Amino acid sequence: MKILFYDTKSYDREFFCGQLANFPGIEIDYLKGDLTPRSAVIAKGYDAVCAFVSSDVGARTLELLDSYGVHAVLMRCAGFNNVDLKTAARLGIRVLRVPGYSPEAVAEHAMMLALAANRHVHKSYIKVRENDFSLGGLMGINFYKKTAGVIGTGKIGTAMAQICRGFGMEVLAYDICQNSPPGLVKYVTLDELLAKSDLISLHCPLTEENYHLISHDTIQKMKDGVIFVNTSRGGLVKTEDLVEGIRAKKFFAVGLDVYEEETANVFEDRSDEILENSTTARLLSFPNVIITSHQGFFTKEALTAISRVTLENARACMEGKETPNEVKAV
Ligand code: NAD
């Protein structure tokens, strides 16, 4: 089975090359560029493509891949909101992903963002480097005995709830299905979670139904002084409404690992460029906002699991076997 990997970095190559000996019959070629309708042509002659969070796996790309004989899309991530599943099903292209490769990696990053934004670590780091040891602007709040609101209690949300419990927090949760281990969280309506939580963290996938779940209306329902964290997907939050809420001093702190305009930025060094988009710059101008670069997943454990499971998915395709990692249009 020949697989063309798109959007790869040195660490992808390192982790996948390390696993390949365990998967005889699989050959990989790596590309730096991402998958788009224009770059799909390079996949001619390959059995499968391997794509990532910013790849364009929409209808046009899939139709082109199909015409070049590609019959599987291996997502080396958990999310698949960038894949047109209906078109894939119509063309008979299998789509496989890596669910739950290390929920703790993302949950720990979410809690790190909450803590860093709350205690202004980004500011204090710079201040101390400049020999400024004053504490002005650095005061935070205790998490102990506060209420965390976890939206989406799948693998990452459950790991986040466990971390919050470890901090001595009460955990409220909202999910369309109540799947958390018994006793870990208290399920409430979305409105109640928004109204009662001191820390709100998003852990649901981006779907057609929950696009802009966090917008003017839902922000209005939050407690004043709430800490808000998004490590899930940028499209869950309407950025201009978030900016409006920050300007209105609704939020004590905001930590974002994902945001709507991230696609052009994700994993690229753009430090020499003048960025075309002002909303991200606007967010970065606020002293109580921390943004990281979609790096919640980025631990050794997670990359080991991602490379192993992606290759297991490839083997399942090669052998025509079913796997629970296949995602299908509903
Ligand atoms: P999961 O499938 O285990 O859990 C998702 C949960 O969200 C499920 O319980 C589901 O019922 C719930 N859900 C679905 N729609 C909902 C809605 N409208 N409202 C409330 N809950 C809803 O997924 P997971 O492994 O926990 O991952 C969650 C998300 O985290 C992924 O979809 C992905 O977008 C994101 N993620 C981010 C990174 C990162 O590096 N920042 C890494 C991995 C995953």
Side-chain angles (χ1 to χ4, degrees):
M1 182 180 209
K2 285 184 70 184
I3 311 169
L4 184 61
F5 274 51
Y6 283 88
D7 192 21
T8 60
K9 300 280 186 273
S10 57
Y11 46 81
D12 294 308
R13 294 188 279 276
E14 179 193 332
F15 277 84
F16 276 92
C17 288
Q19 300 266 358
L20 208 50
N22 303 324
F23 294 88
I26 294 179
E27 284 174 43
I28 298 179
D29 285 321
Y30 300 94
L31 283 182
K32 282 188 181 167
D34 208 347
L35 177 59
T36 65
R38 287 187 73 182
S39 63
V41 66
I42 313 169
K44 211 172 191 172
Y46 287 85
D47 303 292
V49 293
C50 183
F52 200 43
V53 289
S54 300
S55 306
D56 174 352
V57 202
R60 184 73 192 125
T61 307
L62 287 164
E63 278 160 4
L64 289 164
L65 290 174
D66 179 57
S67 73
Y68 303 138
V70 171
H71 47 80
V73 172
L74 305 165
M75 299 299 294
R76 53 178 193 283
C77 53
F80 49 89
N81 53 288
N82 49 338
V83 185
D84 185 334
L85 291 179
K86 287 190 180 126
T87 304
R90 175 170 59 77
L91 299 169
I93 294 180
R94 294 182 74 179
V95 179
L96 300 98
R97 67 171 182 140
V98 185
Y101 45 80
S102 179
E104 294 75 19
V106 185
E108 286 171 16
H109 194 79
M111 184 48 107
M112 181 283 298
L113 280 174
L115 288 167
N118 171 38
R119 302 301 284 265
H120 312 284
V121 174
H122 55 307
K123 288 179 75 180
S124 100
Y125 172 76
I126 303 285
K127 277 164 71 104
V128 170
R129 281 174 66 104
E130 299 295 326
N131 291 341
D132 175 358
F133 304 101
S134 65
L135 298 181
L138 300 184
M139 191 182 294
I141 59 158
N142 279 11
F143 282 5
Y144 179 61
K145 291 210 167 163
K146 295 289 189 327
T147 301
V150 172
I151 300 182
T153 52
K155 288 173 279 302
I156 298 172
T158 295
M160 181 61 175
Q162 279 160 343
I163 291 171
C164 292
R165 288 290 295 268
F167 274 73
M169 304 179 88
E170 185 193 0
V171 184
L172 303 180
Y174 168 72
D175 196 309
I176 48 174
C177 67
Q178 303 193 353
N179 48 4
S180 180
L184 180 64
V185 303
K186 181 181 170 202
Y187 281 104
V188 294
T189 61
L190 180 60
D191 280 2
E192 187 176 345
L193 181 147
L194 295 171
K196 291 188 174 166
S197 301
D198 302 291
L199 161 64
I200 295 175
S201 192
L202 299 185
H203 298 291
C204 55
L206 175 62
T207 62
E208 275 173 27
E209 293 71 42
N210 65 19
Y211 176 69
H212 284 176
L213 177 74
I214 302 301
S215 61
H216 179 81
D217 287 352
T218 36
I219 290 171
Q220 287 305 308
K221 291 175 184 167
M222 293 178 189
K223 253 188 186 182
D224 288 343
V226 64
I227 295 173
F228 174 71
V229 170
N230 186 11
T231 55
S232 218
R233 282 294 179 267
L236 290 166
V237 180
K238 190 171 178 193
T239 313
E240 56 192 84
D241 292 1
L242 180 67
V243 167
E244 176 196 285
I246 296 166
R247 292 185 65 219
K249 302 199 170 75
K250 185 76 182 173
F251 298 93
F252 184 73
V254 172
L256 305 173
D257 189 44
V258 293
Y259 50 95
E260 284 187 295
E261 293 164 356
E262 72 177 40
T263 306
N265 299 346
V266 165
F267 314 139
E268 300 302 326
D269 178 358
R270 304 189 68 197
S271 50
D272 282 343
E273 293 176 39
I274 293 170
L275 297 189
E276 68 284 356
N277 240 311
S278 64
T279 323
T280 313
R282 185 80 186 100
L283 276 172
L284 284 167
S285 74
F286 297 117
N288 58 344
V289 175
I290 294 187
I291 302 184
T292 53
S293 188
H294 204 136
Q295 66 187 74
F297 74 99
F298 201 53
T299 65
K300 285 182 182 174
E301 292 79 0
L303 286 183
T304 304
I306 288 170
S307 50
R308 179 178 50 76
V309 176
T310 303
L311 291 172
E312 284 169 3
N313 289 344
R315 183 163 57 195
C317 287
M318 192 167 70
E319 296 173 351
K321 289 187 178 155
E322 295 290 312
T323 155
N325 298 341
E326 186 156 356
V327 280
K328 296 182 178 170
V330 280

